[in-house]
Amino acid sequence: DAEITQSPRHKITETGRQVTLACHQTWNHNNMFWYRQDLGHGLRLIHYSYGVQDTNKGEVSDGYSVSRSNTEDLPLTLESAASSQTSVYFCASSWDRGDTEAFFGQGTRLTVV
Amino acid sequence: AQSVTQLDSQVPVFEEAPVELRCNYSSSVSVYLFWYVQYPNQGLQLLLKYLSGSTLVKGINGFEAEFNKSQTSFHLRKPSVHISDTAEYFCAGDNTDKLIFGTGTRLQVFP
């Protein structure tokens, strides 16, 4: 069965370190997204991609970057981790139209100490 | 500006009682509207979606939602809840092929 997987599921890192969270989908979806989930804020969009070599900033993109070198993967990089980036991160993917369902990974819980 | 608003952060209800979770959307999202559910320590999964046509949409697990254009609302309902419905529920709208989420409603079902 097709799926979307995130790794690692949990990570603790130190302030100032670079961290990369992986997202891999086997749906062959064009669209991929990264959200962060924080209490009281719901899910907020960090970055998104509509296809290979395409990346776009979302609502809360400062301090994050993504790259899309193939259809299956959209890694999220925290350039210099800050305590404010402690959160649960979700990757999602969908077909290339807004009327279709988005499929979510299980999430990565990141703690910056 | 918030494009999708969930008016209640928490909704406590007893088992077998009816429930309504409220959602309002703004003009910055299209009328592609969704409800997702998140069980503890899991990702989100789709409950139902409204794209066009009938304003009453039925989803999984006995949930349904009604699209109301004049009130810009998309409220989620279930006539009789179960303990297993305890979860976080998110309303979302499409904004140029990306989902914009509300802040979520925590449904807590008590025995």
Side-chain angles (χ1 to χ4, degrees):
Chain A
D1 287 344
E3 60 180 2
I4 179 167
T5 55
Q6 295 183 233
S7 61
R9 293 293 310 278
H10 302 271
K11 186 168 181 67
I12 301 174
T13 191
E14 295 178 340
T15 300
R17 289 192 179 270
Q18 183 181 81
V19 176
T20 296
L21 309 183
C23 176
H24 179 81
Q25 53 100 0
T26 59
W27 297 95
N28 202 33
H29 286 161
N30 286 326
N31 297 352
M32 295 186 73
F33 311 88
W34 274 104
Y35 292 88
R36 58 177 289 175
Q37 183 179 23
D38 304 287
L39 195 63
H41 292 279
L43 280 82
R44 292 180 291 175
L45 185 63
I46 306 171
H47 281 285
Y48 58 101
S49 168
Y50 289 145
V52 177
Q53 302 301 329
D54 175 75
T55 60
N56 305 279
K57 293 181 179 180
E59 178 187 3
V60 289
S61 61
D62 287 349
Y64 303 94
S65 64
V66 293
S67 61
R68 187 89 180 270
S69 58
N70 58 54
T71 301
E72 295 81 16
D73 299 289
L74 187 71
L76 177 71
T77 297
L78 286 68
E79 305 295 343
S80 177
S83 57
S84 60
Q85 294 176 308
T86 292
S87 185
V88 180
Y89 292 85
F90 286 99
C91 180
S93 69
S94 69
W95 293 112
D96 57 3
R97 290 177 55 184
D99 61 348
T100 55
E101 176 181 358
F103 294 86
F104 284 79
Q106 295 293 298
T108 295
R109 183 174 295 276
L110 177 68
T111 302
V112 182
V113 298
Chain B
Q2 185 69 34
S3 302
V4 176
T5 303
Q6 293 183 245
L7 299 170
D8 306 298
S9 60
Q10 295 186 66
V11 173
V13 64
F14 287 109
E15 193 173 21
E16 298 183 6
V19 70
E20 178 179 84
L21 306 183
R22 298 181 292 170
C23 173
N24 287 88
Y25 65 93
S26 70
S27 58
S28 63
V29 299
S30 72
V31 290
Y32 298 153
L33 297 166
F34 306 80
W35 275 99
Y36 283 81
V37 60
Q38 183 183 32
Y39 298 105
N41 300 313
Q42 294 189 26
L44 280 71
Q45 62 184 84
L46 183 70
L47 268 180
L48 50 80
K49 62 183 178 182
Y50 172 79
L51 306 179
S52 64
S54 173
T55 57
L56 185 63
V57 180
K58 293 190 182 298
I60 62 171
N61 300 339
F63 283 93
E64 62 182 32
E66 185 161 16
F67 171 70
N68 188 318
K69 187 174 181 179
S70 63
Q71 297 185 9
T72 60
S73 68
F74 189 56
H75 300 333
L76 181 70
R77 303 186 184 102
K78 187 169 182 177
S80 176
V81 295
H82 302 290
I83 295 286
S84 59
D85 292 323
T86 293
E88 189 90 18
Y89 291 79
F90 292 95
C91 184
D94 170 69
N95 181 307
T96 56
D97 299 338
K98 57 187 183 294
L99 284 174
I100 304 300
F101 286 88
T103 52
T105 298
R106 171 76 177 165
L107 176 64
Q108 180 73 52
V109 181
F110 295 95

